[in-house]
Amino acid sequence: MTEVSVTKDAAPAADPLVVLDNVNKHFGALHVLQDIDLTIARGEVVVVIGPSGSGKSTLCRTINRLETIDSGSITIDGKPLPAEGRELARLRADVGMVFQSFNLFAHKTVLENVLLGQLKVRRTEKKLAEEKARALLDRVGVANQADKYPAQLSGGQQQRVAIARALAMDPKVMLFDEPTSALDPEMINEVLEVMQQLARDGMTMVVVTHEMGFARSAANRVVFMSDGRIVEEAQPDQFFSNPRSDRAKDFLSKILHH
Amino acid sequence: MFDFLDLEQYDLFGAFWVTVQLTLYSAVGSLVWGTILAGMRVSPVPLMRGFATTYINVMRNTPLTVIIVATSLGLYQTLGMTLGGGDSKEAGFRLAVLGFVAYTATFVCESLRSGINTVPVGQAEAARALGLGFTQVLTLIVLPQAFRSVVAPLANVLIALTKNTTVAAAIGVPEAALLMKEMIENESDAIFLVFAVFAFGFIVLTLPTGLLLGWVSKRVAVKR
Ligand SMILES: Nc1ncnc2c1ncn2[C@@H]1O[C@H](COP(=O)(O)OP(=O)(O)O)[C@@H](O)[C@H]1O
Ligand SMILES: [Mg+2]
């Protein structure tokens, strides 16, 4: 597993896939994202960490434009984020998203959840789509649950289905917003293992998480956010053992104490 | 005791059949138009939201009798609209359906909207994140779940509609209430029996509707 965490330093990435340039966003008077510059290289795994309310979710959501930005620019694979419309929908299909609360479609079976995007967005042929859906469900370890409804699954199983649902679109990048925060402790690892495997397979990932084990073993870089700013960027080992900023030190001391 | 009920003279079943037809056509129309209105009310386009909100506030607060009479006096007699020809009887039926749809759709829309509110926002976001457009999110994710959660309220709307069709008597549609009026005039000595017969007729129509849809409501509920 260590060979994954080989080193890319925080220097400008060689093959940029997601580029945020001077991004600002307000919620009313709250300046929730402040001058965010962040470049994510193809194949890179970036863990975003920081106190609650620091803007991590908002950052994720701006990357596939679930939230609009006030100024600055976001490009994905060289193309700026389009405004509303068909083109935006196409872009969203290329950016997979996994939410803290799973958000599976409650009226559809597990298999239908994984089929929907392929059939309605990619317009894949039914048979091919189903083969792919079953393969993905197998890959995340829930193949035997294909015909159940989300409410019949455990949280860990639901989140793995949500990952399969996102992967079915062949996304260029996957965004994870605290994917294990809503899970009972005994289910966290089954989800992290799936994510670790994804990272090993070379998926570009942005992961908001406080799971340090995952950050250490799978991330190329840790981005620490506080009050809407990126305060520190470093390799995981360096960040956890020797944070430079006071705010990061303060934050780590809090999460390490329990 | 049932001499007053001369089925040669009074076409009771025919009249109730018209009531049933009025109800069915109006129900289907209201469901379609009410769903479109609900879509408009949650749409990102301000003009659509504004239109739907205004429409609902006007229609829902106008007495049904006014709407039905307006379709007849306004659309038919003044503007000459017959909605597809035929004699004044057929035109009256269609105009009444139009009026019922215009009115009942507002209640369908408001029920549906409360159903839409039961669908977690996260599911719509997840659908958008997959690349589905607004209409797809609405028709594939939100409305199917919204409908399942409002079968019971929609049953109430349907029962109210069934009874509301009696207003069509005001423009001469030969449904149950018009026949009742005629019988009351001719059979004044059996007036309570006349009432009882028509009340029973409506109960026969609405009670099974309520029971059936109550059962459906439990069957289709989305587990969360
Ligand atoms: N839709 C919204 N409207 C108004 N304020 C919001 C909205 N979403 C988030 N916020 C606020 O923005 C700040 C950052 O939120 P968020 O990005 O969710 O932080 P994090 O994920 O780091 O906990 C918080 O103060 C939150 O209350
Ligand atoms: Mg968050």
Side-chain angles (χ1 to χ4, degrees):
Chain A
M1 227 180 266
T2 38
E3 68 273 10
V4 203
S5 37
V6 270
T7 60
K8 262 171 211 158
D9 48 31
D15 182 9
L17 182 61
V18 180
V19 180
L20 288 85
D21 183 21
N22 202 15
V23 168
N24 281 280
K25 174 167 184 72
H26 297 77
F27 282 124
L30 178 69
H31 197 168
V32 56
L33 296 179
Q34 306 183 24
D35 305 323
I36 300 287
D37 289 312
L38 180 65
T39 299
I40 295 146
R42 203 179 300 275
E44 194 182 17
V45 176
V46 172
V47 159
V48 181
I49 199 168
S52 173
S54 57
K56 307 179 299 294
S57 295
T58 308
L59 178 74
C60 267
R61 294 162 58 84
T62 59
I63 295 179
N64 65 1
R65 214 170 180 282
L66 285 176
E67 300 283 358
T68 54
I69 57 176
D70 298 337
S71 67
S73 75
I74 301 179
T75 57
I76 292 180
D77 216 359
K79 291 191 219 83
L81 281 197
E84 281 306 318
R86 250 178 235 305
E87 246 180 278
L88 176 61
R90 197 169 314 136
L91 167 120
R92 286 202 181 120
D94 286 340
V95 179
M97 181 132 186
V98 174
F99 302 83
Q100 180 174 344
S101 47
F102 328 136
N103 296 342
L104 293 179
F105 308 130
H107 63 308
K108 294 192 174 291
T109 64
V110 163
L111 184 68
E112 288 166 346
N113 266 272
V114 184
L115 280 174
L116 187 77
Q118 297 187 75
L119 298 178
K120 301 293 178 183
V121 178
R122 297 286 192 221
R123 312 244 172 237
T124 314
E125 195 215 323
K126 177 93 202 261
K127 193 162 159 288
L128 291 177
E130 185 165 334
E131 270 169 29
K132 180 169 183 177
R134 290 195 188 279
L136 282 168
L137 288 173
D138 191 41
R139 179 167 162 196
V140 300
V142 288
N144 53 349
Q145 315 286 336
D147 297 321
K148 289 193 181 163
Y149 285 88
Q152 297 170 288
L153 269 54
S154 73
Q157 290 171 324
Q158 287 190 55
Q159 192 61 299
R160 286 182 283 148
V161 174
I163 294 173
R165 178 177 67 179
L167 289 175
M169 307 304 288
D170 293 318
K172 291 176 177 165
V173 51
M174 288 276 286
L175 312 172
F176 295 81
D177 187 4
E178 304 209 30
T180 58
S181 299
L183 296 177
D184 293 335
E186 74 270 20
M187 294 172 188
I188 290 177
N189 275 334
E190 65 191 46
V191 172
L192 289 180
E193 270 161 29
V194 168
M195 292 168 57
Q196 237 141 9
Q197 186 58 48
L198 260 183
R200 276 197 291 272
D201 294 345
M203 176 60 77
T204 310
M205 296 163 67
V206 177
V207 185
V208 178
T209 185
H210 293 163
E211 293 293 332
M212 277 189 297
F214 175 82
R216 280 178 190 274
S217 66
N220 303 97
R221 186 156 47 124
V222 170
V223 169
F224 175 72
M225 282 187 77
S226 175
D227 297 326
R229 289 183 184 280
I230 294 181
V231 176
E232 189 166 339
E233 287 184 64
Q235 286 174 38
D237 286 334
Q238 191 190 336
F239 177 79
F240 290 116
S241 53
N242 192 13
R244 278 165 297 169
S245 63
D246 290 338
R247 274 189 276 187
K249 281 179 197 157
D250 184 45
F251 175 73
L252 285 176
S253 74
K254 279 178 192 146
I255 65 168
L256 292 178
H257 279 163
H258 44 77
Chain B
M1 157 178 188
F2 280 98
D3 329 331
F4 74 95
L5 200 56
D6 179 357
L7 291 178
E8 301 273 292
Q9 188 185 350
Y10 304 115
D11 185 6
L12 188 67
F13 293 105
F16 268 105
W17 176 234
V18 173
T19 295
V20 168
Q21 284 176 307
L22 270 180
T23 306
L24 287 180
Y25 284 116
S26 305
V28 172
S30 309
L31 203 60
V32 172
W33 179 224
T35 307
I36 294 172
L37 284 171
M40 287 185 177
R41 284 208 83 164
V42 298
S43 106
V45 184
L47 192 68
M48 286 194 172
R49 283 202 305 272
F51 168 79
T53 310
T54 312
Y55 176 92
I56 284 161
N57 282 332
V58 170
M59 280 296 173
R60 199 171 49 166
N61 294 304
T62 304
L64 181 57
T65 313
V66 173
I67 294 174
I68 296 298
V69 172
T71 60
S72 177
L73 293 184
L75 293 184
Y76 179 60
Q77 294 184 13
T78 309
L79 300 177
M81 284 175 63
T82 61
L83 303 177
D87 58 23
S88 82
K89 280 238 149 55
E90 292 166 34
F93 180 87
R94 286 194 294 265
L95 288 162
V97 169
L98 178 73
F100 290 130
V101 169
Y103 178 78
T104 312
T106 64
F107 296 93
V108 171
C109 171
E110 292 306 274
S111 301
L112 257 185
R113 217 157 59 98
S114 69
I116 289 174
N117 290 336
T118 67
V119 183
V121 183
Q123 286 187 42
E125 285 194 334
R128 282 162 70 204
L130 284 179
L132 296 169
F134 171 78
T135 314
Q136 287 179 312
V137 175
L138 196 65
T139 55
L140 296 171
I141 305 301
V142 178
L143 284 178
Q145 295 185 64
F147 270 113
R148 289 159 191 244
S149 69
V150 296
V151 174
L154 284 181
N156 289 335
V157 173
L158 180 59
I159 288 169
L161 169 66
T162 309
K163 296 185 293 181
N164 283 344
T165 56
T166 52
V167 173
I171 61 169
V173 178
E175 45 70 70
L178 195 69
L179 181 66
M180 182 175 82
K181 207 168 140 226
E182 189 187 331
M183 287 178 69
I184 288 170
E185 279 161 16
N186 298 345
E187 312 290 337
S188 50
D189 42 347
I191 195 160
F192 286 104
L193 286 172
V194 173
F195 287 145
V197 164
F198 282 92
F200 179 73
F202 274 94
I203 290 172
V204 166
L205 292 183
T206 53
L207 199 63
T209 309
L211 292 175
L212 177 72
L213 290 180
W215 176 77
V216 170
S217 160
K218 289 198 190 80
R219 283 291 305 263
V220 301
V222 178
K223 289 188 194 66
R224 301 205 186 280

